[in-house]
Amino acid sequence: MRSLAKSNKHFERAVNKLPLGVSSNFRYWGEDKTIYVDHGKGGRVWDIDGNEYIDYRLAYGPIILGYADERVDAAAKRGMDVGGVFALSTELEYQVAKRISKMVPAAELVRFSNSGTEAVMAALRVARAYTGKDGHIVLEGGYHGVFTEVMWHSELEEWDEEGDPELQPFGDGVPEVTRDLCYPVPLNDANLVEDLLRRYHKHIGAFLIEPIMGNCCGITAEPQYLHDIRELCDRYNVVLIVDEVKTGFRVAKGGVQELFDFKADLCTFAKAIGNGYPISIVAGREDIMRHIGDGVVHGGTFTGHSVSLAAADKTLEILDETDALEAIRNYGLRLQEGLGEILSERDIAHSFTGAPALMGLFFADSAPSNYREWVDSNYEFYDALAPELHNQGILVEPDSREPWFLCEAHTDGCLDDTLRRFERAVDITIEKLE
Ligand SMILES: Cc1ncc(COP(=O)(O)O)c(C=O)c1O
């Protein structure tokens, strides 16, 4: 039986100094469930009690090659020798920007920041400057970071399926005045977007979208929908911002835009760029991006840090020039096949969403096409399964809306262990629910 005795003891200490005993609310899993990590290597992490886990959370996406990847860490060490930050620029910024433009054609110009939040915040600001319109469309179930304008979400857990779900602030301290900036729509209904734009196009300057919803089970846009909203954005002078913070350099070399063969006006990237080193990007069409420096302020003390840039340069080189993403994809397909067999043998309805590198596991016969349909899946089974997976040594998010993330290092001996542990956890869950 897994013991968290040391983690629990550490929690008692940490909570005296850190709210919830952690540095992000999402890392708090309860007083006796919060895990403190000792170290990670490859596709696995070890907690301070010595428990070993195959990790399918991967820090919510940054780890694309594996923890403590020696190729990236060696590059990062060379980045340390450069000196960090200078309130001046280094040549490496241009080199990494060129690499990004090569991999993502929509990224004509590039600016660096440190977190996904900062990148999306910058993208929205640039879009507002370009269009002169303050409002933005967001998807129900979408998540774009922790800055005020996007901290509104459609409440589905108490939704009675009549009318539209209520828009609620994502926690306290979100100014009420920012509610009116948000125009939520369910994914995959272009008619609703058209109606909305017909009525409010004078107020709406941006459509912020994750075509594979990285915070909502990997629910995926249909190609026709993407085509339609591209056309609607052009027609109504709306900047199409594709938030690739999770999908970028993960689901394909050119992200979700390559996968679905369409082009953003602006796009944001973060997680996988540096295999865990903090770096993010706002990028896009030259005529829009040129507003930065010509009216729009963008910057920050730590932007263009030499360690993160060096790590990003190496990570992107590996992703661009090796078959790492193909290997992840193949692993993901084999994983889905194995998980699927275990579930089918037990007559448990299931389906997979997203891309293999960022996949949702759904307990329903068919995958949902928007967040509203998530309520029809047996997410209670997921909620019961997740803690058993943790006990067996598989890390997934306790919340079924967070997809599973895969990395190159998983291909190194994680599959059989995962399937064995998963099977055990499923059987315990079935018994528990009987
Ligand atoms: C799609 C998307 N955008 C933005 C963010 C915010 O990124 P960060 O947590 O690095 O600020 C996230 C974080 O999970 C995300 O998934």
Side-chain angles (χ1 to χ4, degrees):
M1 186 64 189
R2 181 177 67 132
S3 164
L4 289 179
K6 284 189 180 164
S7 274
N8 292 344
K9 203 148 191 249
H10 185 72
F11 175 80
E12 282 170 24
R13 258 197 310 264
V15 80
N16 292 320
K17 210 31 102 184
L18 302 157
L20 296 177
V22 291
S23 294
S24 163
N25 288 16
F26 310 110
R27 298 177 197 168
Y28 169 75
W29 290 1
E31 286 183 16
D32 58 347
K33 299 272 182 318
T34 297
I35 295 171
Y36 291 91
V37 171
D38 181 69
H39 71 286
K41 182 69 190 165
R44 299 178 194 244
V45 300
W46 286 260
D47 67 20
I48 59 175
D49 285 281
N51 300 305
E52 171 262 329
Y53 306 87
I54 301 171
D55 187 3
Y56 291 103
R57 292 171 75 246
L58 297 178
Y60 294 140
I63 307 305
I64 186 71
L65 299 172
Y67 287 108
D69 183 273
E70 280 153 27
R71 300 160 294 180
V72 178
D73 286 353
K77 281 183 187 135
R78 290 193 293 277
M80 274 177 212
D81 294 337
V82 174
V85 282
F86 309 96
L88 291 168
S89 289
T90 60
E91 289 173 309
L92 200 50
E93 291 164 35
Y94 172 66
Q95 185 171 316
V96 179
K98 264 203 324 190
R99 207 182 268 292
I100 288 160
S101 297
K102 174 176 171 261
M103 294 172 80
V104 183
E108 293 172 11
L109 294 188
V110 173
R111 266 290 175 99
F112 295 103
S113 298
N114 301 293
S115 66
T117 294
E118 285 174 279
V120 181
M121 193 164 65
L124 270 183
R125 187 169 301 141
V126 173
R128 289 195 290 260
Y130 176 78
T131 60
K133 302 187 284 186
D134 286 348
H136 53 266
I137 302 176
V138 282
L139 295 180
E140 291 174 1
Y143 175 80
H144 301 282
V146 286
F147 67 104
T148 310
E149 297 102 296
V150 294
M151 291 190 74
W152 292 92
H153 72 111
S154 300
E155 173 52 54
L156 277 204
E157 274 160 78
E158 282 150 35
W159 180 50
D160 60 6
E161 306 203 20
E162 301 221 343
D164 293 331
E166 197 190 335
L167 196 61
Q168 290 189 351
F170 198 1
D172 295 340
V174 178
E176 186 62 31
V177 288
T178 56
R179 178 199 295 267
D180 292 344
L181 298 175
C182 286
Y183 294 81
V185 291
L187 181 67
N188 283 326
D189 188 340
N191 290 332
L192 281 183
V193 177
E194 184 162 14
D195 289 347
L196 190 67
L197 285 174
R198 225 184 272 130
R199 289 165 68 194
Y200 299 113
H201 66 95
K202 289 199 177 122
H203 304 285
I204 296 174
F207 189 162
L208 183 54
I209 181 173
E210 265 188 291
I212 295 178
M213 299 185 72
N215 299 276
C216 199
C217 331
I219 298 174
T220 301
E222 287 152 14
Q224 184 61 42
Y225 177 76
L226 294 174
H227 177 271
D228 291 346
I229 61 159
R230 177 65 277 177
E231 190 275 317
L232 287 167
C233 285
D234 290 341
R235 195 187 326 156
Y236 287 101
N237 185 30
V238 170
V239 173
L240 181 60
I241 303 173
V242 178
D243 184 352
E244 297 233 36
V245 162
K246 277 191 170 168
T247 52
F249 310 112
R250 168 169 284 282
V251 299
K253 289 180 186 179
V256 81
Q257 296 174 74
E258 178 184 314
L259 213 56
F260 294 123
D261 191 23
F262 81 114
K263 226 169 158 182
D265 296 316
L266 293 177
C267 39
T268 52
F269 295 85
K271 314 237 180 194
I273 304 171
N275 195 47
Y277 288 90
I279 185 163
S280 67
I281 296 164
V282 56
R285 251 171 55 193
E286 174 158 6
D287 60 326
I288 303 177
M289 285 291 289
R290 288 281 177 214
H291 281 263
I292 295 178
D294 185 15
V296 173
V297 175
H298 175 272
T301 305
F302 293 107
T303 58
H305 195 288
S306 66
V307 175
S308 295
L309 280 170
D313 195 38
K314 180 50 81 179
T315 305
L316 295 176
E317 178 194 307
I318 294 167
L319 295 177
D320 195 26
E321 295 176 13
T322 74
D323 64 358
L325 289 182
E326 197 48 35
I328 294 172
R329 194 184 131 71
N330 290 337
Y331 178 87
L333 292 174
R334 281 163 54 218
L335 178 65
Q336 289 184 0
E337 195 185 330
L339 301 179
E341 270 172 26
I342 292 166
L343 294 167
S344 297
E345 280 163 10
R346 289 156 180 80
D347 286 329
I348 298 173
H350 64 277
S351 49
F352 296 100
T353 42
L358 186 168
M359 62 177 218
L361 166 56
F362 251 93
F363 291 108
D365 276 325
S366 57
S369 69
N370 63 42
Y371 184 32
R372 293 183 185 194
E373 292 174 15
W374 167 78
V375 291
D376 300 327
S377 78
N378 187 1
Y379 57 85
E380 293 91 348
F381 187 79
Y382 194 106
D383 293 347
L385 175 65
E388 297 310 329
L389 288 170
H390 301 164
N391 282 335
Q392 297 302 324
I394 294 182
L395 270 188
V396 297
E397 188 69 5
D399 186 327
S400 65
R401 283 164 286 194
E402 184 71 17
W404 293 33
F405 291 92
L406 273 52
C407 68
E408 187 189 25
H410 279 142
T411 63
D412 198 8
C414 290
L415 188 63
D416 290 347
D417 281 353
T418 302
L419 296 179
R420 208 172 335 101
R421 294 174 190 189
F422 183 83
E423 183 161 27
R424 229 178 286 138
V426 168
D427 285 337
I428 293 170
T429 307
I430 293 171
E431 230 171 79
K432 200 168 66 175
L433 293 177
E434 266 170 11

